[in-house]
Amino acid sequence: LTQLFRPLDMLGTVYRTLRQGLIDMAAMFSLIDTEAEVKDISGAPGLLVHRPTLAFDNVVFGYEPERTILHGLSFEVPAGASYAIVGPSGAGKSTIARLLYRFYDPQAGRILIDGQDIAVVTQESLRAAIGIVPQDSVLFNDTIGYNIGYGRDGATREEIEQAARSAAIGGFIASLPQGFDTEVGERGLKLSGGEKQRVAIARTLVKNPPILLLDEATSALDSRTEQDILATLRRISRGRTSLSIAHRLSTIADADRILVLENGRLAEQGHHTELLRRDGLYAEMWARQQAEVELTGEAAE
Ligand code: ATP
């Protein structure tokens, strides 16, 4: 009987991995209506990640044939580095994330992780290597422990507790009368935006991926909570390769490198201070956001 159930079990794992990725991507990039466009090639090997480098090599992509969105985009994120992508609305930031998670294949060029073309490895292994922390994570109507353990099938209670501590939500959970067995979601305890974000971070830590894809648009949080969450994200990014899709520039000012995207092309790249000195698109976007911050009276950080 066990023999009979093993394949089913495996299918469950694959399904869970894919579904979780899809759910988080859906939350991050409004992908609910996206159909599966890509298929594994037959006999595709799994992605093997030793040094999690990430590269776009001359990537050309459009959702429709008559409209190209990315025009031969190339960049490389070294293993362990934190890069951020910024740019005006519609520049193609989320498209980069969708391609990296292989919701679509480029029309030309390649996307490489640790030197391997992501189009020729299994989607399951690709998605297992990438952790997504979306701005607005989806919680299941289940216990808080289940919601964290969902990051990886077979996660032990110890791993879940450790992840909760690293995501700085361990103390909060310990203060609940039922601890990790507390029901959350629609019928259970309502968590604040910041607490939900921390559950999502803990879920990603349980998955322990070498690559992180972060959506740092934490505008739904008050600025104190936002700063706390950002500090946690920075901490968990250490030792991993991370790519942040940023809408607010203040959240990524300390990235190792900022890629400034304009109409699907890299307009500028560099560190925050270099880009300010350049006095180009980034400096202009920065000045505009600072002015908005002053107008709304929020803390300038
Ligand atoms: P924002 O900051 O507003 O989120 P973005 O830089 O993330 O913008 P993308 O979501 O990558 O921009 O979109 C880039 C372009 O691709 C836009 O012009 C958008 O209209 C178009 N686009 C996005 N998704 C689709 C789709 N599913 N079908 C057709 N066009 C799309």
Side-chain angles (χ1 to χ4, degrees):
L1 205 67
T2 340
Q3 282 296 322
L4 199 70
F5 275 102
R6 195 159 294 145
L8 275 180
D9 236 329
M10 243 178 66
L11 210 65
T13 311
V14 173
Y15 175 69
R16 275 165 55 118
T17 313
L18 286 182
R19 201 169 69 130
Q20 185 51 46
L22 290 171
I23 286 169
D24 284 343
M25 283 304 274
M28 189 165 169
F29 303 117
S30 326
L31 267 171
I32 307 249
D33 296 331
T34 304
E35 286 166 32
E37 298 236 339
V38 298
K39 294 198 169 51
D40 285 354
I41 56 169
S42 83
L47 175 71
L48 289 174
V49 186
H50 300 294
R51 286 182 54 75
T53 54
L54 175 63
F56 270 54
D57 175 20
N58 247 315
V59 171
V60 176
F61 175 76
Y63 295 92
E64 292 136 6
E66 66 276 14
R67 191 164 164 243
T68 304
I69 304 291
L70 301 180
H71 305 264
L73 185 67
S74 295
F75 63 86
E76 188 170 345
V77 189
S82 293
Y83 274 35
I85 300 176
V86 304
S89 180
K93 303 182 293 293
S94 305
T95 302
I96 291 175
R98 291 180 195 129
L99 289 173
L100 180 60
Y101 216 62
R102 211 176 158 223
F103 278 114
Y104 305 93
D105 283 328
Q107 275 96 40
R110 296 181 309 162
I111 300 167
L112 306 158
I113 290 180
D114 197 359
Q116 297 147 77
D117 186 341
I118 65 166
V120 301
V121 298
T122 61
Q123 290 169 72
E124 189 203 352
S125 64
L126 170 70
R127 290 171 186 177
I130 304 172
I132 301 168
V133 183
Q135 175 190 9
D136 200 7
S137 217
V138 178
L139 290 191
F140 301 103
N141 294 319
D142 207 303
T143 65
I144 201 160
Y146 175 86
N147 270 284
I148 295 173
Y150 205 87
R152 184 171 45 82
D153 207 18
T156 64
R157 175 52 74 97
E158 216 179 337
E159 288 168 329
I160 292 170
E161 288 177 5
Q162 173 61 41
R165 277 196 298 275
S166 301
I169 196 172
F172 167 78
I173 296 173
S175 76
L176 300 170
Q178 288 179 288
F180 283 88
D181 297 324
T182 306
E183 295 278 333
V184 293
E186 274 159 36
R187 288 186 298 277
L189 181 69
K190 301 270 181 298
L191 299 183
S192 72
E195 287 154 3
K196 269 169 71 177
Q197 184 94 348
R198 290 190 183 285
V199 169
I201 293 172
R203 188 185 281 171
T204 303
L205 287 173
V206 160
K207 186 173 168 180
N208 195 21
I211 294 168
L212 287 178
L213 195 50
L214 308 173
D215 182 10
E216 288 195 343
T218 45
S219 51
L221 307 175
D222 63 72
S223 58
R224 168 83 199 279
T225 309
E226 178 182 4
Q227 289 309 314
D228 287 352
I229 298 270
L230 283 173
T232 307
L233 287 176
R234 263 178 222 128
R235 212 177 51 240
I236 70 159
S237 298
R238 263 179 234 141
R240 302 175 207 267
T241 306
S242 72
L243 194 59
S244 302
I245 308 288
H247 299 265
R248 289 208 289 165
L249 305 185
S250 59
T251 60
I252 48 90
D254 65 349
D256 293 325
R257 186 174 282 254
I258 299 167
L259 309 174
V260 186
L261 201 66
E262 189 181 27
N263 295 323
R265 291 188 173 87
L266 272 188
E268 300 167 359
Q269 56 176 307
H271 190 260
H272 174 69
T273 44
E274 281 169 57
L275 290 171
L276 284 187
R277 236 179 291 138
R278 238 185 107 106
D279 210 16
L281 178 60
Y282 182 84
E284 190 189 306
M285 288 169 62
W286 178 261
R288 201 171 333 116
Q289 292 204 359
Q290 291 302 101
E292 274 167 28
V293 165
E294 273 162 34
L295 264 180
T296 54
E298 271 186 42
E301 252 295 37

